[in-house]
Amino acid sequence: VTGYDVTTTIDVNLQDVAHSSLMEALQASEAQYGCALVMEVQTGEIKAMANLGRTADGQYAELYNYAVGNQGTTEPGSTFKLVSMLALLEETSTALTDTIDTGDGKFRFHDRVMKDVIKGGFGELTVQEVFEKSSNVGMSRLIDHAFGKNPQKFVHYIQKLGLHKPLGLQIKGEGVPIFKTPGGPGWSGVTLYWMSIGYALKITPLQTLTLYNAVANNGKMVRPCIVKNIKQANRVVKSFQGGVVNEKICTEATLQKLKTL
């Protein structure tokens, strides 16, 4: 509205650091694009949101909001193993000291082979080490034991976390997550296992941050907030807060294990 001022939650100093750090990382890796987000744990206030994409001449510029928008909706990869661990620990009595054999780093699920990054594999790992070393074979096998006969239960945990839908950020054009469900389009006999390591699904970087923030925030998942208030001169017309997406993402016992991981 003409004459109104929008006050954001951005901290200009943190924004400057996030922007320059992101620039440095992108130049070093020659990446196509990247984003860096800083969020205050308890309030969900976004303190920095940097987005840079590679231009035709090999430089980097602010081309698109990858942190929030549809073009930034991508396979989260191993960061999603936190969801798999949460589901596993909630559904079963698995202890972090329990072990699983990851063998030579290859394991066949139907017509596809799951592989670990390390050549020769990790061999026997504890559940904690599966997460720490980011073993694809270990994670997918654990999820197979817990949810192989009922993959819908695994999908239920994703839905319970609210990761299957946009967060409702105060920026238009928020990316829509892409998830498959058992019996639905694109679901196959191996979808569960690839989902467990962050593939065969797509979410935004902002959603990944919101998930990890919930663990840091003692289980309370807060909605990210970037607009603090709207003013007309010195008068505050409207104030905003992030709000709560999920009061408690898991039991206290699971939460403590996730913090350890």
Side-chain angles (χ1 to χ4, degrees):
V1 176
T2 305
Y4 281 13
D5 294 321
V6 175
T7 309
T8 73
T9 58
I10 297 290
D11 178 311
V12 289
N13 296 315
L14 289 175
Q15 179 68 27
D16 191 41
V17 172
H19 182 95
S20 56
S21 299
L22 177 63
M23 179 74 80
E24 205 174 292
L26 292 177
Q27 287 170 341
S29 59
E30 297 183 354
Q32 282 302 113
Y33 68 86
C35 66
L37 286 157
V38 181
M39 184 159 101
E40 194 170 66
V41 175
Q42 291 180 327
T43 65
E45 288 190 359
I46 300 292
K47 296 299 179 184
M49 183 183 284
N51 290 278
L52 293 168
R54 198 172 190 177
T55 58
D57 60 358
Q59 300 301 307
Y60 290 97
E62 290 186 54
L63 305 174
Y64 185 82
N65 194 333
Y66 298 105
V68 174
N70 251 327
Q71 284 182 44
T73 306
T74 187
E75 291 178 315
S78 290
T79 55
F80 199 75
K81 285 174 183 164
L82 184 67
V83 175
S84 298
M85 277 294 183
L86 182 148
L88 177 74
L89 296 171
E90 286 284 90
E91 189 66 24
T92 68
S93 57
T94 302
L96 298 187
T97 50
D98 288 349
T99 59
I100 185 120
D101 187 11
T102 67
D104 63 354
K106 292 176 187 174
F107 193 83
R108 181 175 289 276
F109 290 107
H110 301 295
D111 61 337
R112 289 186 68 184
V113 177
M114 180 69 71
K115 293 178 182 177
D116 274 329
V117 176
I118 299 295
K119 201 173 181 182
F122 294 109
E124 193 164 290
L125 294 175
T126 63
V127 171
Q128 184 165 335
E129 286 171 335
V130 165
F131 191 80
E132 288 173 349
K133 296 179 188 298
S134 198
S135 169
N136 295 336
V137 172
M139 192 74 256
S140 55
R141 290 201 68 194
L142 287 168
I143 291 301
D144 183 31
H145 293 327
F147 301 100
K149 291 177 181 171
N150 189 354
Q152 182 56 51
K153 257 191 174 178
F154 179 75
V155 173
H156 167 73
Y157 280 102
I158 295 170
Q159 293 167 336
K160 193 179 168 190
L161 288 167
L163 295 173
H164 64 303
K165 57 186 179 182
L167 287 159
L169 187 71
Q170 304 146 309
I171 294 177
K172 284 192 174 181
E174 188 184 346
V176 179
I178 297 170
F179 281 98
K180 295 169 184 172
T181 53
W187 187 275
S188 75
V190 298
T191 304
L192 172 68
Y193 313 118
W194 264 259
M195 279 180 81
S196 76
I197 63 162
Y199 294 91
L201 61 98
K202 291 183 178 183
I203 58 176
T204 64
L206 187 69
Q207 284 187 298
T208 300
L209 171 62
T210 302
L211 167 69
Y212 275 79
N213 189 74
V215 175
N217 197 27
N218 296 313
K220 183 188 276 192
M221 185 183 277
V222 289
R223 182 175 289 106
C225 175
I226 197 163
V227 178
K228 226 173 194 174
N229 58 50
I230 295 168
K231 282 182 171 181
Q232 187 175 31
N234 290 328
R235 183 175 69 90
V236 175
V237 178
K238 194 172 183 182
S239 293
F240 301 93
Q241 287 181 321
V244 179
V245 177
N246 191 320
E247 274 293 344
K248 193 81 171 175
I249 60 167
C250 59
T251 61
E252 192 59 35
T254 294
L255 182 66
Q256 293 311 314
K257 289 174 185 174
L258 294 179
K259 284 186 172 186
T260 299
L261 294 175

